Amino acid sequence: MAPVDQLKDAKVIFVLGGPGSGKGTQCERIVAKYGLAHLSSGDLLRAEVASGSERGNRLKAIMESGELVSLDIVLELIRDAMLARGAAGAKGFLIDGYPRELEQGVRFESELVPCKAVLFFDVSEEAMQQRLLKRGETSGRVDDNEATIRKRFQTFQQLTKPVIEHYKGQGKVIQVDASGSVDEVFGQVQKQLDALKL
Ligand code: AP5
Ligand code: MG
């Protein structure tokens, strides 16, 4: 993928955290207050699945297994969504659920733009599992069941934790205790983002 010139000045915050840590919930609150564009890799992939394309069917099977889909597909979906939102005036982006493995971060930053910060929602697996099983009663998500949740935790530990360590080494990680209520967590997020002066 050739570097994309239109995005070279974009302000990007990666949003990471285990499955059910509250990435999507907090991003909604951040968008309402700070006006950043929210792009969730999982939502983009689910939209592709919903389109009924052959690629969508392949993606669904991978998501059902709790593993990661191929880097090129995710990066392309995010790049296209950023270009569309950028053309509509967005200057800042919350990239939720990406990068989930080191190579995703490396490719994004070399082909699109370096990130300004990484927002990391930290919470125990017990709490995340409870949230996901509760959501699973109504969400219809193929991955909100006990077996897939276990696999999603493993994938997070093995592949995504090293990403967080990598960005900690660069001093870019904003770690938030995500075990409290949505309002409590957002209170911490606001303090951190205000200090960042976006
Ligand atoms: P993705 O959609 O990103 O799922 P995830 O990371 O497992 O996380 P969730 O979206 O389930 O949780 P969340 O952290 O957004 O929490 P939420 O706010 O919804 O990815 C799904 C799959 O797609 C992956 O497994 C993979 O296969 C594929 N994929 C995605 N990105 C990829 C990538 N970059 N590369 C390769 N493959 C990729 O909250 C969860 C629930 O908890 C909700 O019901 C909410 O109401 C509740 N809740 C939230 N906050 C609180 C709180 N503080 N207290 C109580 N309840 C709360
Ligand atoms: Mg989400």
Side-chain angles (χ1 to χ4, degrees):
M1 209 166 73
V4 180
D5 211 41
Q6 297 94 303
L7 295 174
K8 69 180 189 329
D9 296 321
K11 289 180 185 165
V12 166
I13 299 180
F14 291 143
V15 182
L16 294 179
S21 58
K23 300 181 292 295
T25 304
Q26 293 297 324
C27 281
E28 267 183 41
R29 303 284 298 264
I30 296 169
V31 167
K33 175 154 183 194
Y34 297 89
L36 301 166
H38 172 213
L39 298 176
S40 151
S41 53
D43 290 348
L44 291 169
L45 289 164
R46 280 183 288 277
E48 184 71 25
V49 171
S51 77
S53 67
E54 200 185 312
R55 180 162 86 168
N57 288 336
R58 284 200 303 273
L59 294 175
K60 183 178 172 202
I62 299 169
M63 292 166 80
E64 216 161 359
S65 75
E67 290 176 18
L68 299 184
V69 312
S70 110
L71 188 164
D72 287 301
I73 294 176
V74 189
L75 187 54
E76 202 177 298
L77 287 172
I78 291 180
R79 180 203 57 193
D80 291 351
M82 284 179 77
L83 285 171
R85 300 291 292 271
K91 302 262 182 291
F93 298 87
L94 293 168
I95 309 292
D96 159 2
Y98 188 101
R100 265 180 150 84
E101 55 184 345
L102 268 176
E103 182 66 9
Q104 291 191 359
V106 170
R107 289 274 306 272
F108 183 104
E109 293 197 302
S110 70
E111 294 173 28
L112 302 180
V113 62
C115 73
K116 300 268 182 240
V118 178
L119 194 49
F120 166 40
F121 292 110
D122 188 28
V123 56
S124 71
E125 286 190 357
E126 290 73 30
M128 293 192 284
Q129 186 181 32
Q130 265 181 15
R131 291 177 188 177
L132 292 175
L133 289 175
K134 180 148 180 280
R135 184 179 68 186
E137 292 167 11
T138 53
S139 69
R141 268 181 60 161
V142 293
D143 54 354
D144 280 346
N145 60 75
E146 248 181 280
T148 310
I149 290 169
R150 242 190 333 270
K151 182 63 197 171
R152 287 158 76 194
F153 286 157
Q154 270 174 22
T155 304
F156 177 71
Q157 287 297 337
Q158 281 168 8
L159 299 174
T160 312
K161 273 285 180 70
V163 177
I164 294 163
E165 292 309 314
H166 169 79
Y167 286 106
K168 270 189 184 161
Q170 296 184 3
K172 285 185 170 176
V173 172
I174 298 172
Q175 184 158 340
V176 169
D177 173 1
S179 60
S181 69
V182 173
D183 283 345
E184 280 164 3
V185 177
F186 187 59
Q188 294 180 57
V189 169
Q190 286 178 89
K191 271 197 204 126
Q192 299 281 359
L193 291 186
D194 289 344
L196 204 62
K197 298 199 172 50
L198 287 168

